[in-house]
Amino acid sequence: MSQTPKKIRFTASLVTCLSLAGCAGGQFETAAPPSDNRAVSTGGMCTATQAEMTVTVGNAFKDGDWVRDYYSGNKAQVINGQVTLTPASDAEGLLLLEAVDAPEQSFTWAGATVYFTVTDRFANGRTDNDLNYGRKPDGMDEIGTFHGGDFAGLTQKLDYLKDLGVNAVWVTPPFEQIHGWVGGGDQGDFQHYGYHGYYALDFTRPDANFGTREEFRTLVEEAHARGIRVVMDVVMNHPGYATLQDMQTFNVGGLREGFEKHLPEQWGDWRPESWENFHAYHALIDYDHPGWANWWGKDWVRAGIGDYDTPPKASIDPVRGSLAFLPDFKTESTQAVDLPIFLQNKENTRATQLEDATARDYLVTWLTDWVREFGVDGFRVDTAKHVEPEAWKQLKTKAQNALDTYRANNPGQPLPAEEFWMVAEVFPHTVTRSSYFDAGFDAVINFDLQEEAQAGAACLPAMEPIYSEYSDKMHGDKPFNVMSYISSHDTQLFSRIAENKPAMQKRVAAALLFTPGTSQIFYGDESGRAFGPTGSDGHQGTRSDMNWADIENGTAQPVLSHWTKLGQFRARHPAIGAGEHKQLSTKPYVFSRTHGDDRVVIAFGKE
């Protein structure tokens, strides 16, 4: 009886993984509803005009100025505070007005377009690294297996991102992941590997499925050469689970006495019987075995196994609690710790013993080494509310020091920027200046826009109260920035919300890319990537393979070309995200954005 609670606690984490998005991205819930009662129903789509429009330009341009519609290339002179132009036939009623002699603008994060890729699912540049550490395809829907995407593939697609107007790419954690799999979904109906990067095993090495250190270096350097910054996803809240494969490889944990006979020679090759599911292997494991001391160790994590501390629920103690029963790092501890035994014995790790270092010190060192060596420009921080603010302050300070070191050692690199950037995932954060901005963060992910943008996809003027509110808040007494999205790996795909209707997927580009603050594109938003196989976990389908075939055969072209035009316009004008918003007209719907000497006017006409 004494071992049953511990077994149940640990098994529950694997039974629910990844039906809870926290297993992959650090949040349990789906997207938050809007913060007030503003309507977000898409209703019927309005009909965009293709007729000539007279547009008021306010103070953005003065009489006599010549402006150009970036979409069509047509020009007009401002007379009596107005210009008259006709939208391009494929512009969805939009006029994108800029000064004909508009000066080139400097990069600002508030005006940036960040492209989020799940590395494994984006592009496969090398097929010879598709299977490592004994991993295998499942021969079924491949819901939770590695698909082959890698650093080499992402590097090959950087020109595609540049053409899209992207100036920062967010890559999922590149670290070596747990080698084996856990049961996926509520029903244990698929094998779930750490393809997404959130099940770290060794923070000092890239996962062999993603590529080599030199390939990661090439990715960063090639991105920089194109003016694209690299934002690396990092996790300090938890490592990955222990799996049968890792137990055998690293001699951690132990089986119940005599149960070896139920396992194949390679434990990771175990498969359930016809009456079992992929959670059933837990019956073979002794979660009170002294061999668990060889894993991370009780001084490093709370895991509720062996003699480890049992963590509370994260809903009770967000900092010391466990997310989906993942092992919780003791980042708040002031106790000096030794390097975990499995890392001491791991032949190819770059982790070494640090003198008088806490678990947090090790993690900060490991993460910032990627900045120091490769010149990473920023961190997207997973599960920020589940780690104490002091840890984030330390990470930001050390990351800035590491960036300074990289710049000093690589004076010929045009990037990275001088200031390191950090954005926090804090579910369900909205557009507000919270205490996270005092903990080292430059921006926080905004969870409201995914639902709010649905109305804008139907008819852009529905975004006006949202745009005005966001701008007023972010340009208040204490300015701040947020990063907004319409799709993510932990919530929904907009293509599914839009029922794969190309018109909605096309129009939502304006709703997102004209939103004040940083805009985040999830890979395939711009090309109508479809929801994939998901099993009993509703979030797995958001991480389907990038739909390159649709792009190559032209199926995605009408949607993609529209996103590309708007993305390029946004890249030319940081004012769109960083500037102050002002509505100039209702019919047609017209607004301006101004930021220093950068100024644009955007108009949308409907019949």
Side-chain angles (χ1 to χ4, degrees):
M1 291 294 292
S2 64
Q3 67 187 20
T4 301
K6 294 180 180 177
K7 177 188 172 186
I8 291 174
R9 279 194 297 271
F10 198 74
T11 302
S13 67
L14 302 173
V15 170
T16 58
C17 177
L18 248 179
S19 64
L20 299 179
C23 296
Q27 63 201 52
F28 297 124
E29 308 93 335
T30 55
S35 56
D36 55 33
N37 59 1
R38 288 170 296 177
V40 296
S41 173
T42 59
M45 292 185 66
C46 61
T47 302
T49 186
Q50 293 184 15
E52 184 178 82
M53 286 196 294
T54 297
V55 175
T56 298
V57 299
N59 295 326
F61 307 110
K62 64 181 184 295
D63 280 1
D65 285 350
W66 280 90
V67 299
R68 170 176 47 231
D69 171 26
Y70 182 75
Y71 210 113
S72 68
N74 295 330
K75 302 174 185 177
Q77 190 173 31
V78 179
I79 300 174
N80 296 325
Q82 296 179 324
V83 295
T84 300
L85 286 163
T86 302
S89 60
D90 55 350
E92 294 293 333
L94 288 169
L95 292 173
L96 312 178
L97 303 183
E98 62 181 2
V100 169
D101 57 351
E104 185 174 349
Q105 299 295 322
S106 300
F107 174 87
T108 176
W109 278 106
T113 301
V114 178
Y115 193 92
F116 172 25
T117 65
V118 175
T119 302
D120 176 67
R121 303 298 172 87
F122 187 60
N124 191 348
R126 283 180 48 203
T127 58
D128 61 330
N129 65 1
D130 287 358
L131 297 175
N132 297 280
Y133 314 120
R135 296 167 181 159
K136 296 178 179 178
D138 63 23
M140 297 183 289
D141 291 330
E142 309 298 340
I143 294 171
T145 57
F146 280 82
H147 288 194
D150 48 30
F151 305 142
L154 180 51
T155 302
Q156 292 169 10
K157 299 298 183 181
L158 288 173
D159 286 336
Y160 168 84
L161 299 185
K162 179 69 174 178
D163 290 344
L164 190 60
V166 168
N167 38 31
V169 58
W170 156 15
V171 296
T172 41
F175 324 118
E176 183 177 342
Q177 298 295 292
I178 57 174
H179 294 180
W181 50 267
V182 294
D186 291 332
Q187 299 174 20
D189 49 333
F190 61 91
Q191 295 167 284
H192 185 149
Y193 288 93
Y195 68 87
H196 40 64
Y198 298 101
Y199 290 170
L201 174 78
D202 187 343
F203 288 86
T204 70
R205 290 179 54 84
D207 193 277
N209 273 70
F210 302 148
T212 66
R213 299 179 70 80
E214 289 310 308
E215 286 171 327
F216 187 80
R217 190 188 315 280
T218 298
L219 167 62
V220 176
E221 290 179 352
E222 289 296 318
H224 287 171
R226 292 164 174 78
I228 298 174
R229 287 158 171 77
V230 177
V231 178
M232 192 174 84
D233 209 327
V234 298
V235 188
M236 276 178 54
N237 174 254
H238 60 264
Y241 298 107
T243 70
L244 281 172
Q245 192 163 319
D246 295 288
M247 289 172 63
Q248 184 180 34
T249 300
F250 299 107
N251 191 30
V252 300
L255 303 175
R256 295 185 182 278
E257 186 175 353
F259 276 47
E260 292 90 344
K261 63 185 179 183
H262 298 293
L263 288 170
E265 181 179 355
Q266 296 298 318
W267 294 0
D269 291 340
W270 177 89
R271 296 294 182 271
E273 299 291 345
S274 59
W275 62 88
E276 297 176 316
N277 62 33
F278 284 105
H279 298 316
Y281 72 87
H282 295 293
L284 308 175
I285 299 174
D286 180 358
Y287 286 111
D288 282 326
H289 196 283
W292 289 109
N294 297 334
W295 194 37
W296 286 96
K298 67 177 182 179
D299 293 335
W300 272 80
V301 300
R302 306 172 187 86
I305 59 175
D307 62 350
Y308 290 57
D309 295 335
T310 299
K313 292 182 179 179
S315 58
I316 296 174
D317 188 337
V319 172
R320 294 173 174 80
S322 172
L323 289 174
F325 299 90
L326 283 155
D328 183 69
F329 279 130
K330 294 184 174 182
T331 52
E332 82 293 342
S333 175
T334 59
Q335 177 184 346
V337 296
D338 292 325
L339 191 67
I341 292 176
F342 86 94
L343 284 176
Q344 292 179 29
N345 297 329
K346 188 172 182 284
E347 292 182 357
N348 60 2
T349 186
R350 297 171 67 93
T352 58
Q353 179 78 18
L354 302 179
E355 294 301 319
D356 197 29
T358 64
R360 183 204 297 176
D361 293 334
Y362 276 94
L363 290 166
V364 168
T365 297
W366 294 339
L367 295 176
T368 57
D369 276 349
W370 291 77
V371 181
R372 187 174 296 103
E373 180 172 354
F374 302 110
V376 170
D377 302 272
F379 287 155
R380 178 268 186 185
V381 172
D382 187 73
T383 58
K385 71 178 176 182
H386 299 292
V387 177
E388 65 284 350
E390 294 77 15
W392 302 132
K393 291 179 182 179
Q394 181 178 343
L395 180 65
K396 179 63 175 295
T397 298
K398 296 294 185 181
Q400 183 64 58
N401 292 341
L403 183 59
D404 293 341
T405 299
Y406 177 84
R407 289 175 60 85
N409 293 339
N410 298 271
Q413 282 283 341
L415 286 173
E418 295 182 6
E419 295 184 0
F420 192 81
W421 191 69
M422 285 201 341
V423 58
E425 180 223 20
V426 184
F427 185 85
H429 206 283
T430 61
V431 182
T432 184
R433 195 187 191 287
S434 64
S435 60
Y436 290 96
F437 292 92
D438 301 319
F441 289 105
D442 301 285
V444 175
I445 294 174
N446 165 37
F447 286 83
D448 278 356
L449 189 77
Q450 183 175 58
E451 186 166 355
E452 292 172 335
Q454 295 174 39
C459 204
L460 187 63
M463 296 301 295
E464 174 54 33
I466 298 162
Y467 289 167
S468 294
E469 179 186 347
Y470 282 19
S471 180
D472 289 347
K473 287 182 175 180
M474 287 191 280
H475 293 282
D477 294 338
K478 290 186 175 182
F480 64 95
N481 184 28
V482 300
M483 184 168 75
S484 301
Y485 69 91
I486 57 166
S487 300
S488 85
H489 62 320
D490 277 343
T491 56
Q492 302 180 70
L493 283 188
F494 188 83
S495 64
R496 197 180 195 206
I497 295 172
E499 299 176 334
N500 297 316
K501 296 175 181 176
M504 289 284 286
Q505 295 176 70
K506 185 177 182 181
R507 285 198 181 182
V508 78
L512 172 65
L513 296 177
F514 298 159
T515 295
T518 303
S519 288
Q520 174 231 296
I521 300 173
F522 190 35
Y523 73 106
D525 277 343
E526 77 283 7
S527 57
R529 176 172 62 89
F531 191 79
T534 205
S536 62
D537 173 10
H539 294 106
Q540 293 294 326
T542 66
R543 308 161 200 164
S544 57
D545 290 337
M546 179 63 178
N547 58 327
W548 293 115
D550 293 338
I551 294 172
E552 292 164 3
N553 66 26
T555 303
Q557 193 57 36
V559 174
L560 176 59
S561 62
H562 188 67
W563 275 82
T564 298
K565 202 72 173 182
L566 270 56
Q568 291 172 348
F569 184 61
R570 180 181 169 90
R572 289 168 60 86
H573 297 287
I576 296 173
E580 294 192 54
H581 172 89
K582 183 177 181 180
Q583 183 178 6
L584 302 178
S585 171
T586 303
K587 293 182 180 180
Y589 174 50
V590 183
F591 62 87
S592 64
R593 298 281 170 81
T594 55
H595 179 70
D597 65 353
D598 190 21
R599 50 211 165 97
V600 299
V601 171
I602 296 171
F604 171 81
K606 62 178 181 176
E607 295 178 359

